[in-house]
Amino acid sequence: MKKLLLIIIILSITSCKNGVEKTGTKKVFLEPNQISYDWQLFAAKNGTSKDSVLSNDIQFINDSILKGKFKLDISKYEAESKIKECLPFRLKKKMFDEYYNEGFNNLGDLNGDKKEDYVFVLHALNYCEEGDSYYFTDNSIPRILTDSNCCHPSSIINIGDIDEDGKSEIAEYYSSCASRYKAITIYSLKDSEWKEIKSFSFVLNDEYFIDKDFKKLFRKTSKNNLEYYEIKDVNIEGKLVASWEKIKIQ
C-alpha cells in the first residue's frame, strides 16, 4: 500500500512521455511506455542534497538498508549502466527509508555453499530501469530485475532443489499493484544466472492468500518434476478456475 501511494505521489508531480525527457540540463532517452521522473525538480521543491541521495548511492544503501550486516556490490550493474549511459536519479532519504526498508527474507541456502541467503528489495538504480529489483545478500547470486513497484522480500520463496543439482529453485510472486490478476514465475539458478522456467497466473481469491498460502502452490513429485497450482480465474459463482499443472526443470 505504501509503494502504491508512492507511485500516486510521483505521478502527480511528474509527467510521462515517449521519446526524450529533460532532466536538469541533460537529456534522458526513454523506451516507449517508460515513466520518467524529474527527480532533480522534485528534490529542489521538496528537499536539498543533504536530505536526498542518488539512487545508486551504494554507501547509503549499505548503511541504511543493509545496516552494515551485508555489503552489496553493484559494480557489474553500474558497468552496464555506464555502457547504456543511464543516469541515476535523486531520491529523498526519508522516502528511500520508508518504502525500501522492509528488511530481509531468509531463503535458506540457495546456491549450495552451506550459508543462508537472504533477499531484499531496492528501487531502480537509474532511469533505464523501470521497477524494483530483488537482491540477495550473497553477491554471487544475480539480482532479479522487474518492471513493478510493488515488490516485497516476502514475494520470493525457496521451493526446493527440484532438479537436485545442489541449488534451490525459487518462485516470485509478481504484482502490478492494482490488478487482481497476478503472476508467479519459477526460476532456476544455472551458470550463475537466473533462468526463467515458467510463469503462470494467480488471481486474487478468497481461498488462497499469497501471504500465507504461497508455499502450498508447489509440490515436487520427483527429480526435475514439479507441479504448480495455477489459479486462472474465479467464476461468477465464486469458484476457482484452477488446476494442478506439471513442469520439468532441467
Side-chain angles (χ1 to χ4, degrees):
M1 182 60 71
K2 286 185 176 181
K3 288 187 180 179
L4 181 57
L5 178 59
L6 169 61
I7 296 170
I8 295 173
I9 293 172
I10 291 172
L11 291 177
S12 68
I13 61 174
T14 59
S15 61
C16 174
K17 300 178 182 178
N18 292 336
V20 180
E21 291 285 349
K22 289 186 177 180
T23 307
T25 58
K26 297 182 180 180
K27 292 182 178 180
V28 180
F29 292 87
L30 306 177
E31 295 296 329
N33 301 320
Q34 181 179 346
I35 297 177
S36 173
Y37 307 137
D38 193 339
W39 286 104
Q40 291 185 9
L41 176 60
F42 180 71
K45 289 183 177 180
N46 297 276
T48 68
S49 60
K50 293 182 179 180
D51 60 15
S52 62
V53 63
L54 289 177
S55 54
N56 65 346
D57 190 327
I58 188 62
Q59 189 62 54
F60 184 81
I61 293 172
N62 282 326
D63 291 343
S64 64
I65 302 301
L66 304 186
K67 303 185 187 306
K69 296 180 180 178
F70 307 100
K71 187 175 181 180
L72 179 64
D73 181 4
I74 59 171
S75 56
K76 58 183 176 182
Y77 308 123
E78 287 293 273
E80 296 171 359
S81 299
K82 289 181 180 180
I83 294 174
K84 297 178 182 178
E85 298 183 348
C86 301
L87 299 175
F89 51 80
R90 187 165 290 279
L91 186 68
K92 289 190 68 178
K93 291 181 180 178
K94 181 179 180 181
M95 189 176 292
F96 192 122
D97 184 69
E98 184 174 359
Y99 295 105
Y100 292 95
N101 200 352
E102 296 185 83
F104 313 94
N105 182 20
N106 188 346
L107 299 175
D109 182 10
L110 290 181
N111 55 1
D113 64 356
K114 310 302 181 183
K115 298 179 181 179
E116 291 184 333
D117 299 305
Y118 297 76
V119 64
F120 59 97
V121 176
L122 287 180
H123 56 79
L125 296 178
N126 52 60
Y127 279 96
C128 294
E129 297 176 7
E130 299 181 28
D132 300 337
S133 289
Y134 293 101
Y135 290 83
F136 302 86
T137 50
D138 184 334
N139 287 300
S140 69
I141 302 175
R143 68 177 179 173
I144 296 177
L145 187 66
T146 83
D147 59 1
S148 170
N149 292 108
C150 287
C151 296
H152 307 279
S154 59
S155 296
I156 299 286
I157 67 164
N158 182 337
I159 60 175
D161 186 4
I162 310 302
D163 56 4
E164 300 181 11
D165 65 347
K167 305 179 187 68
S168 293
E169 276 63 54
I170 63 172
E172 172 206 356
Y173 171 67
Y174 176 88
S175 173
S176 59
C177 302
S179 173
R180 60 188 287 263
Y181 292 92
K182 314 296 183 180
I184 296 176
T185 303
I186 300 171
Y187 293 94
S188 184
L189 192 58
K190 303 292 185 184
D191 299 321
S192 298
E193 295 292 337
W194 287 114
K195 177 184 178 182
E196 183 175 327
I197 302 299
K198 178 72 176 182
S199 185
F200 58 94
S201 62
F202 177 88
V203 178
L204 296 182
N205 60 90
D206 295 328
E207 186 173 342
Y208 288 87
F209 299 90
I210 206 66
D211 57 342
K212 65 177 182 178
D213 297 320
F214 199 176
K215 293 183 179 181
K216 296 179 182 179
L217 303 175
F218 307 91
R219 60 191 185 196
K220 178 180 177 179
T221 55
S222 62
K223 180 180 178 179
N224 294 325
N225 293 300
L226 175 73
E227 290 185 342
Y228 60 90
Y229 194 56
E230 182 169 22
I231 302 176
K232 304 177 181 68
D233 210 338
V234 179
N235 64 25
I236 195 171
E237 297 175 347
K239 295 182 179 180
L240 298 184
V241 180
S243 60
W244 283 98
E245 304 292 340
K246 296 179 180 180
I247 188 173
K248 184 178 288 291
I249 296 178
Q250 294 180 324

